[in-house]
């Protein structure tokens, strides 16, 4: 399973990339707005740090402008995945860019039917938003299960399931159990993944007991 980080903060990306666990990055207009920086500068900085796919979302919603924006974003680096919304115009852009060899991440997916359309449009990634479904009392993880089932039924679909809008570690664990290809994780959730109270407790005991030996390994 691939781990992407869901942020446009280059310092956060560098910190997580240093673990060797990072396979890619996703950004969106809200995350870019938080940085106060120029979008293409951010993307150039990220692509210097991360070799895997870096999702860059178009800002327009009409086909003519989205295709121009997508082509411009794709030129920033070879590992840019152009992110488009799951609309009819968005999927037209997806098909055209995919046919031209550009990676495309189709975002704002909230139904299995939408995921089926994205796969037919040649998306590299489909991004179902689990947290936002949970927020409105729907079952986000059931959507992941449904998409995995559908995609597995049709091996000709090459679209990878990229679980987005992850809010806590169990979203990741359940996604992995369902066989989702990618999870994009907010930095906070990545830090939570390492934590277990018994690890902290056990480590503190080992450190204390080691002191009693009076030895040094170095
Ligand atoms: O990048 C898309 C997605 O991960 C957004 O998550 O927390 O804003 O629903 P959230």
């Amino acid at each position: 399973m691939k781990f992407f980080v869901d942020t446009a903060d280059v310092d956060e990306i560098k910190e997580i990339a240093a673990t060797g666990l990072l396979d890619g990055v996703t950004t969106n207009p809200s995350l870019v707005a938080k940085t106060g920086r120029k979008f293409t500068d951010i993307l150039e900085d990220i692509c210097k740090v991360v070799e895997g796919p870096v999702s860059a979302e178009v800002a327009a919603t009409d086909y003519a402008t989205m295709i121009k924006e997508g082509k411009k974003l794709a030129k920033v680096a070879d590992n840019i995945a152009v992110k488009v919304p799951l609309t009819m115009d968005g999927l037209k852009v997806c098909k055209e860019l995919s046919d031209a060899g550009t990676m495309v991440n189709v975002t704002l997916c909230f139904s299995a039917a939408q995921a089926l359309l994205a796969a037919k449009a040649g998306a590299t990634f489909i991004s179902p938003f689990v947290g936002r479904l949970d927020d409105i009392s729907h079952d986000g993880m059931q959507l992941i299960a449904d998409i995995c089932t559908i995609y597995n039924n049709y091996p000709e679909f090459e679209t990878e399931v990229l679980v987005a809008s992850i809010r806590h570690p169990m979203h990741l664990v359940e996604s992995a159990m369902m066989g989702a290809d990618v999870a994009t994780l907010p930095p906070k959730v990545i830090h939570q993944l390492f934590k277990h109270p018994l690890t902290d407790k056990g480590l503190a005991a080992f450190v204390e007991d080691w002191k009693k030996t009076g030895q040094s390994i170095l």
Side-chain angles (χ1 to χ4, degrees):
M1 185 186 213
K2 285 174 269 192
F3 282 11
F4 291 0
V5 63
D6 198 25
T7 181
D9 182 321
V10 179
D11 289 334
E12 282 181 330
I13 293 166
K14 282 182 185 164
E15 186 192 9
I16 292 159
T19 64
L21 300 172
L22 191 63
D23 301 299
V25 175
T26 52
T27 66
N28 63 37
S30 309
L31 294 171
V32 171
K34 270 193 209 168
T35 69
R37 296 186 60 208
K38 190 178 168 205
F39 188 24
T40 47
D41 288 351
I42 295 170
L43 292 175
E44 281 167 14
D45 287 352
I46 297 173
C47 290
K48 282 181 200 147
V49 179
V50 178
E51 284 179 15
V54 174
S55 288
E57 189 159 342
V58 296
T61 56
D62 65 289
Y63 166 79
T65 317
M66 274 194 283
I67 193 73
K68 281 188 211 152
E69 290 178 343
K71 285 179 180 173
K72 185 172 175 184
L73 291 170
K75 282 190 190 141
V76 172
D78 289 343
N79 55 330
I80 291 286
V82 175
K83 208 169 174 187
V84 298
L86 210 156
T87 60
M88 193 178 279
D89 276 6
L91 292 191
K92 276 168 72 181
V93 173
C94 173
K95 180 84 176 93
E96 192 169 327
L97 292 178
S98 298
D99 286 350
T102 298
M103 290 187 285
V104 181
N105 178 355
V106 176
T107 190
L108 292 167
C109 171
F110 294 97
S111 80
Q114 290 179 318
L116 190 49
L117 293 176
K120 287 185 68 65
T124 315
F125 304 105
I126 181 67
S127 289
F129 279 29
V130 294
R132 292 192 195 183
L133 279 171
D134 290 352
D135 288 345
I136 59 159
S137 304
H138 285 245
D139 187 347
M141 292 317 303
Q142 185 57 50
L143 175 59
I144 303 304
D146 291 347
I147 296 172
C148 288
T149 300
I150 290 170
Y151 283 10
N152 286 337
N153 283 344
Y154 299 95
E156 67 271 25
F157 288 156
E158 291 176 356
T159 305
E160 295 189 23
V161 179
L162 191 168
V163 183
S165 188
I166 285 181
R167 301 281 163 76
H168 50 70
M170 287 314 292
H171 275 150
L172 171 69
V173 172
E174 288 176 29
S175 299
M177 288 172 73
M178 290 170 184
D181 304 282
V182 191
T184 190
L185 301 150
K188 182 185 156 204
V189 174
I190 294 183
H191 289 286
Q192 287 174 329
L193 296 175
F194 289 90
K195 300 300 287 178
H196 197 288
L198 290 181
T199 303
D200 294 342
K201 191 179 170 196
L203 186 58
F206 286 154
V207 167
E208 282 311 305
D209 288 343
W210 180 252
K211 280 185 198 158
K212 291 175 199 160
T213 71
Q215 298 180 46
S216 165
I217 294 173
L218 297 176

